[in-house]
Amino acid sequence: MAGPCSVESEKQLLRTAEAVKAAGATFLRGGAFKPRTSPYEFQGLGEKGLKLLDKARRATGLAVITELLSENHADLVAEYTDIIQIGARNSQNFQLLIAAAKTGKPVLLKRGLSMRIEEWLLAGEYVLANENPNLLFCERGIRTFETYTRNTLDLSTIPIIKRETHCPIVIDPSQGAGRADLVSAMCKGAVAMGADALLIEVHPNPAEAWSDGAQQLSLDMFANLMKELKPFIAAAGRV
Amino acid sequence: MAGPCSVESEKQLLRTAEAVKAAGATFLRGGAFKPRTSPYEFQGLGEKGLKLLDKARRATGLAVITELLSENHADLVAEYTDIIQIGARNSQNFQLLIAAAKTGKPVLLKRGLSMRIEEWLLAGEYVLANENPNLLFCERGIRTFETYTRNTLDLSTIPIIKRETHCPIVIDPSQGAGRADLVSAMCKGAVAMGADALLIEVHPNPAEAWSDGAQQLSLDMFANLMKELKPFIAAAGRV
Amino acid sequence: MAGPCSVESEKQLLRTAEAVKAAGATFLRGGAFKPRTSPYEFQGLGEKGLKLLDKARRATGLAVITELLSENHADLVAEYTDIIQIGARNSQNFQLLIAAAKTGKPVLLKRGLSMRIEEWLLAGEYVLANENPNLLFCERGIRTFETYTRNTLDLSTIPIIKRETHCPIVIDPSQGAGRADLVSAMCKGAVAMGADALLIEVHPNPAEAWSDGAQQLSLDMFANLMKELKPFIAAAGRV
Amino acid sequence: MAGPCSVESEKQLLRTAEAVKAAGATFLRGGAFKPRTSPYEFQGLGEKGLKLLDKARRATGLAVITELLSENHADLVAEYTDIIQIGARNSQNFQLLIAAAKTGKPVLLKRGLSMRIEEWLLAGEYVLANENPNLLFCERGIRTFETYTRNTLDLSTIPIIKRETHCPIVIDPSQGAGRADLVSAMCKGAVAMGADALLIEVHPNPAEAWSDGAQQLSLDMFANLMKELKPFIAAAGRV
């Protein structure tokens, strides 16, 4: 799963979608509604962003994953997306989890910044208990005292989620490390440990991204990464 | 501000309201909508709980503070409460903050479990930027590695919030420590450091509480606490 | 207990000692052996620093507390000090704790940066089990994700140490907050919660201190603090 | 690098040494001096343990790594070991680092429980600055709020240490996870990410180990692990 942090424009999105498709991605990610720490930062293109994702979907055949921020947007977002993402800051926003579950679409639940694994599993129960069996867990790093990386990516979640649930585990190394130069190593580790998917931020021009530029890969970096991962995918028996 | 973790029944709530009023409280707290880690735990009485809070308000003259969990309940909750509480798990649920702000009621924003103070200030901006100047910050403990207490109550927030904002700072020692036997000492410290209010869980029979029994004070413990605090309130020049 | 982070010169130390004595301190603190994160930072004056502390002790009648860094210096440090301090970074350096205990001098054990309270109590047992009953616990802040303060001062340790041990609990707000402007509020809280002593960094000219200038009080600030604390000491019944 | 948490007996050590050698290990690990949270726990066999390590070394040809706890034992430990280990609790015990460096033996420096990477690099400078260029960094998990695992193994240290230093990076999944059932996945991830060595606890009968039984692999589990790792070692180009 790959794509820009934020959907910015048709050109940016389509160019990214075509490139990640060519490199082997099967899902296009992109934020239309963005949860930003400050109300004065770019909040996403909203419905216009959803329509651009839909356009890219039709153009490339990629499936789409995007984030849901408000209970009131559940039907709208479900209309345009194949997987609904619940972000780390809303990981215990139980009303939002219920609203997402009720759309019937698969729900990808990111781990909260200081969420214990037990709490994550129980938050997932808010989806399962609302008759939606299509739940994916996504590790995106936890908050620690470390300042060298943005978060500390906890790869032990891979064997643990596999042991405790029937659900896929997705790894987001972009948020996890917060640094593009660490993404490649993180992906290799995740694949070797049995991750079912990777969620990677890719942008045609990371230096000019409207959000989180430091952690997005360029199109070339992504294509290289997909090549580098091949022997590890084979070693993990996931060809 | 004092009252039970959850509103359970008319008898429980009225008895608590009368007792905390007699001991000197000015606000009644009580959860009608409860954010629970598991969907299989008691989720609160909902609207029925709000009506009981209203009844206790009329009976005692206490003002009421209660938590808002869903954007869709903002008007309903605003109808029955004097302050809207945003809980720790929703501290970066920005849509909920906006919905709360737009009711025009004062908003008490609890600090998230792993929220940096800078992020807390910026989350507060989602209230202020929506033309609601009545914002209160509430420290309720952060998540650390410590297991002896439920959370680590960070009292340094008192001088910091006073330095950085015009808003009151409220301390919640019940959530902060998670142990009734530590509440008294925590309150003394908070008062001495300049806290503007305390938010304390009180229950007629903590051992039988439907949620968080271990951290709730009995009615007698609360009355004693209010007496013990007097010299510290005087020392802090807050008589 | 008050004094500079590092002993720098006879003039600096004597001037500080006289000022803190006049303001009401009973112990002079000062580092002769300094544990520095980098080997290229100032490592303390060593034995020369101890001799200066001794000189200040004789000149003012203040008792002395200073840190022990090496098992091989235990007898040397014990010769010049009234309390041996074990720093946070050595809080589980059990050989050092044993060496300190065996000198027969009281031992002040700082809490490690990520030490659980249970581990702190057990580290203290390394002193008690070596036939030295004079153990003091000192809270100096734990490491969390917060970046606004240097550490998070955990004042809940005051009631907990009192409940679990017979030992005094000392609070170090200078290390705990890492900011001089927060020291006063922290001290008030600590006194109100029952702390048995305060360990405060004071320097004649904090801006020119050889280490940790940002958290040291000036002589005037310290004198003011001692006045401000009086009503809280009275409220806590510790006159 | 593999072997028991503690050296317990000649039989236990030799049996382990032969088995890990047969499975492909090149270093035997084993604690002779053990840093235990409580003074009332088993503290290691001391010099007797060192002699058993030496015996196992001669019998199998494996090199030996063991922990140094006291400056006063530096020469003694150096006599019997090929690499001196500095444990997490002593990671900022700078006097011990200097004493270890001065023996001239390679020094493996474990990361402290709440050590920032920058501090770890600087602690390593205490070895390098004492004219010992043979420094190895060992990640063994950091302390977080998570309770499902003993620590959170931070595999991002692998690419970071490689980028910032010329030193090898060793991963200790046994301490990192604290659970034998997670060791295999952790090792695969570490190898894929470029770790230079693994440090694994192995015991003939983990259930009866004198320390940390829950995280030690049996001899069979270790042999299986070594087989499972082969395709990942090949994928990482480390045949």
Side-chain angles (χ1 to χ4, degrees), chain A residues 21-74:
Chain A
K21 163 106 181 178
T26 54
F27 264 83
L28 176 65
R29 62 147 289 155
F33 296 99
K34 297 295 301 173
R36 303 305 299 276
T37 304
S38 160
Y40 312 122
E41 292 175 303
F42 173 55
Q43 306 280 317
L45 294 181
E47 188 168 355
K48 190 181 154 197
L50 295 176
K51 287 182 174 158
L52 292 177
L53 285 166
D54 191 45
K55 201 162 192 173
R57 174 163 55 171
R58 291 168 199 273
T60 59
L62 288 168
V64 160
I65 173 168
T66 197
E67 181 166 355
L68 173 66
L69 279 192
S70 164
E71 297 166 63
N72 298 330
H73 296 152

Side-chain angles (χ1 to χ4, degrees), chain A residues 79-96:
Chain A
E79 194 183 327
Y80 292 107
T81 195
D82 299 287
I83 298 181
I84 295 179
Q85 175 178 319
I86 302 294
R89 283 161 191 77
N90 282 315
S91 57
Q92 291 190 306
N93 178 351
F94 303 122
Q95 307 309 308
L96 190 65

Side-chain angles (χ1 to χ4, degrees), chain C residues 15-228:
Chain C
R15 204 174 145 211
T16 307
E18 283 156 13
V20 302
K21 162 109 183 177
T26 54
F27 264 83
L28 176 65
R29 63 148 286 156
F33 295 98
K34 297 295 301 172
R36 301 307 298 276
T37 303
S38 160
Y40 312 120
E41 293 175 302
F42 173 57
Q43 306 278 316
L45 294 181
E47 186 167 358
K48 190 182 155 197
L50 294 176
K51 287 182 174 161
L52 292 177
L53 284 166
D54 191 46
K55 201 163 192 173
R57 172 161 60 170
R58 291 169 199 272
T60 60
L62 288 168
V64 161
I65 174 169
T66 198
E67 180 166 353
L68 174 66
L69 280 193
S70 164
E71 298 166 62
N72 298 329
H73 296 151
D75 291 335
L76 176 68
V77 170
E79 193 183 329
Y80 291 107
T81 194
D82 299 287
I83 298 181
I84 293 178
Q85 176 180 317
I86 303 294
R89 283 162 190 74
N90 282 314
S91 57
Q92 290 191 306
N93 177 350
F94 304 122
Q95 307 309 307
L96 190 65
L97 281 164
I98 294 168
K102 288 191 171 162
T103 66
K105 291 276 179 176
V107 177
L108 179 140
L109 174 59
K110 291 208 170 185
R111 184 180 181 188
L113 276 76
S114 69
M115 208 177 205
R116 296 202 178 105
I117 290 169
E118 188 187 358
E119 293 169 325
W120 197 16
L121 297 174
L122 286 169
E125 291 292 316
Y126 276 92
V127 175
L128 300 174
N130 283 281
E131 292 173 25
N132 186 333
N134 296 310
L135 174 65
L136 304 88
F137 288 95
C138 179
E139 162 69 22
R140 45 77 74 206
I142 56 173
R143 180 160 280 182
T144 68
F145 54 80
E146 181 57 58
T147 52
Y148 212 92
T149 49
R150 185 170 172 186
N151 295 292
T152 298
L153 192 68
D154 180 4
L155 292 174
S156 75
T157 49
I158 301 171
I160 291 171
I161 292 293
K162 293 205 159 297
R163 193 146 314 187
E164 301 289 336
T165 77
H166 68 284
C167 302
I169 171 77
V170 179
I171 298 294
D172 175 350
S174 306
Q175 289 282 341
R179 291 172 45 165
D181 64 347
L182 298 180
V183 166
S184 164
M186 294 311 207
C187 287
K188 289 174 189 169
V191 164
M193 291 177 71
D196 296 299
L198 301 168
L199 185 61
I200 300 171
E201 295 189 4
V202 180
H203 193 282
N205 188 348
E208 295 189 5
W210 296 5
S211 56
D212 289 346
Q215 69 198 32
Q216 302 198 50
L217 300 189
S218 70
L219 304 182
D220 281 352
M221 288 169 80
F222 181 72
N224 281 336
L225 169 63
M226 291 296 275
K227 277 181 217 151
E228 283 176 18

